[in-house]
Amino acid sequence: MVALVIVALTAGAFGAIAWGVDKHRATFGALLPAGAAVVTALITWMITMAFGLDAGPATAWIPWILSMVVGGAAAWATAGLVGRARHAHIVARTNEILAMH
């Protein structure tokens, strides 16, 4: 159980970092990439445990590392995709409003 908490906290930290360094972070909340990272990391943890990758000493590290890497990647992808999409929408909407006048 402690391992699961550590994976969740690490993934949440990756999400906070992804939000902090994104240049379009004003367009979405800080919990979006962190939440995506935690959910993805915990699902990855469950899948790797279901496949028994923690059974042997040679593969015991896989659920830890893979969960953190996949969670971090999900955080960066969420921040990047949502940030760019919302920024483009805001710019298009602003241009549309300015074109009316």
Side-chain angles (χ1 to χ4, degrees), residues 13-97:
F14 285 150
I17 292 169
W19 178 82
V21 299
D22 189 31
K23 64 181 176 179
H24 302 298
R25 67 178 168 259
T27 61
F28 59 93
L31 291 180
L32 183 66
V38 169
V39 168
T40 307
L42 295 183
I43 290 173
T44 304
W45 175 269
M46 287 186 271
I47 290 170
T48 56
M49 295 304 248
F51 281 119
L53 292 177
D54 67 325
T59 60
W61 60 272
I62 293 175
W64 288 79
I65 301 301
L66 188 63
S67 297
M68 291 181 208
V69 168
V70 170
W76 289 102
T78 301
L81 294 174
V82 171
R84 274 186 275 149
R86 288 190 180 175
H87 178 72
H89 177 71
I90 289 170
V91 168
R93 180 70 180 138
T94 303
N95 287 339
E96 181 182 315
I97 291 170

